[in-house]
Amino acid sequence: MNRKYHHRLIVLFLAVFIISCGKNDDPAPSETSFAFLESEKQVNTISQTSAQLLFSVLAAQFDDDGTMDNEVSSGAVVHKVTYNSTFEGEPLLVSGLISVPDKPGNYPVISFQNGTNVEYSKAPTVDRSNELFLVLKNFASLGFIVVIPDYPGFGESTQVFHPYLEKDDTLPSLVDLLKATREFVSQDHITASLNEDLYLMGYSQGGWSTMQLKHEIEQNGLEDYQLKASSCGAGPYNLNRLNELLVGQDSYPMPYFLAYLMQAYHVHGKYSNPLNEIFANEYAAKIPDLFNGVTTGGEINDELNTQVEDLFQADFRTGFATNAKYQSLQTALTNSSIDAWQTTSPTRLFHGENDTYVPLELSVEMHQDFKALNVNDELVKLIIMPDADHQSGILPFGIASINWFLDLKNK
């Protein structure tokens, strides 16, 4: 992306947010007793005019056909909600955002699962300047109800350590927000209503989360929802393969990703190895204190080492797949990986061709695994974004996804 234009785009996003902000700091309980929804508060509003301006700029920047801004049919109202879920089998109050059109109607839902985050201040319900979250909130003006979970460990649930790339402790919070959303829109003061159509999207960790949620819904169903399509960007679907690819490199620019994964699994008892059987002693001693909700990913990287040979123990680099002492970790990563299955709803796998954070091979191999099951290419499609790395692929992924969803919605 052109740096000058990128700066102008950031300024525009901030301006849209500031102009349309209508914050209410007083949390309000739900109007009646619900099984999932606990409380809500309006955090900002978005005018139809500002939404049209935003999507005009995005359409021009990302070579859209120029019609996306013509799809804007309303403004939007954004709410923070708290809702009941479970974590490690116990009840947990968690949080998320719900952005709804400000005009009456029956709307489909988009559930967006965000990418890797280590900072409490960067959770969707807290960070009001994040470009991607601002764009997502504006999707409601295109005729969708948009929901964005914080994930356990962020927002209202900082008392637990985030279950990074852990299937069993991530999925409940995603499913339960969709259930809470049904309750939320049933209230008299919410003018928008839901139809049954559901779209899923997410990038990086969110691509993995979206694929997990897609599988869960297709296998077990979700009352009052019909899954229409899923857009998964740059997801680490096979975690053992991810580990194999990364430790097989000479260097890796985001060592905190792997440290986060191992620390989360360690905290939650997913494997039996001490950290110093995986990481060199110097880094194993540091890692537990680095993931404190305040230290940034960049700062954690600075405390680690991008040279793979120096970061990891030699036994782990060379013997992870064969050494019996790593069996519990292999099993844990397998349990939270996602295999291809006979999917029944359209799916797109986006990945930047120059991604050095989450290797492109993971999406290519996921696509190949679906093909091996004779899943039609039109049902699961791989889209490699030319010249995009992990970061620069985020907005193109988001715009391509919403355009696809709009096409499906308008058919």
Side-chain angles (χ1 to χ4, degrees), residues 326-373:
Y326 297 116
Q327 183 60 53
S328 65
L329 178 56
Q330 295 170 25
T331 300
L333 295 178
T334 297
N335 290 342
S336 285
S337 296
I338 179 95
D339 295 324
W341 72 98
Q342 292 289 347
T343 183
T344 56
S345 61
T347 306
R348 290 188 176 177
L349 304 174
F350 288 85
H351 216 118
E353 68 172 348
N354 298 327
D355 194 333
T356 58
Y357 296 178
V358 179
L360 172 60
E361 288 95 324
L362 293 169
S363 288
V364 171
E365 292 168 7
M366 190 80 204
H367 182 241
Q368 291 171 343
D369 290 345
F370 276 113
K371 290 183 70 173
L373 296 176

Side-chain angles (χ1 to χ4, degrees), residues 292-305:
N292 54 24
V294 178
T295 305
T296 70
E299 290 168 342
I300 296 173
N301 279 338
D302 290 342
E303 293 291 328
L304 300 174
N305 198 314

Side-chain angles (χ1 to χ4, degrees), residues 93-261:
L93 187 70
V94 288
S95 49
L97 291 174
I98 303 178
S99 182
V100 297
D102 62 7
K103 291 183 180 178
N106 296 316
Y107 299 100
V109 170
I110 294 175
S111 179
F112 176 82
Q113 289 65 240
N114 66 280
T116 302
N117 172 42
V118 293
E119 298 172 70
Y120 296 148
S121 63
K122 300 300 183 183
T125 60
V126 179
D127 188 354
R128 296 182 183 175
S129 62
N130 182 286
E131 295 174 23
L132 181 60
F133 297 157
L134 291 175
V135 174
L136 289 163
K137 294 170 190 177
N138 275 268
F139 281 178
S141 70
L142 300 171
F144 295 92
I145 292 171
V146 181
V147 304
I148 310 174
D150 275 333
Y151 291 137
F154 295 100
E156 295 297 313
S157 58
T158 56
Q159 71 272 30
V160 303
F161 192 89
H162 173 56
Y164 185 56
L165 298 174
E166 295 177 36
K167 172 186 174 182
D168 291 343
D169 290 325
T170 297
L171 269 175
S173 66
L174 310 182
V175 172
D176 293 340
L177 179 54
L178 290 169
K179 294 176 180 178
T181 300
R182 177 67 68 179
E183 296 173 345
F184 172 78
V185 299
S186 72
Q187 300 177 106
D188 291 341
H189 67 280
I190 305 299
T191 60
S193 300
L194 302 188
N195 62 33
E196 293 187 344
D197 292 347
L198 174 63
Y199 299 85
L200 307 178
M201 64 182 290
Y203 193 86
S204 190
Q205 177 189 358
W208 171 90
S209 297
T210 296
M211 189 68 78
Q212 294 283 9
L213 182 56
K214 168 185 166 66
H215 182 264
E216 171 69 18
I217 292 172
E218 287 194 0
Q219 297 301 302
N220 298 313
L222 184 58
E223 186 178 1
D224 296 324
Y225 288 100
Q226 294 292 325
L227 183 57
K228 301 296 289 186
S230 304
S231 184
C232 306
Y237 310 111
N238 185 325
L239 297 176
N240 277 302
R241 179 66 169 144
L242 172 71
N243 182 74
E244 176 188 352
L245 289 168
L246 298 188
V247 301
Q249 300 176 166
D250 291 332
S251 63
Y252 179 54
M254 297 296 281
Y256 93 86
F257 279 15
L258 282 177
Y260 201 8
L261 175 66

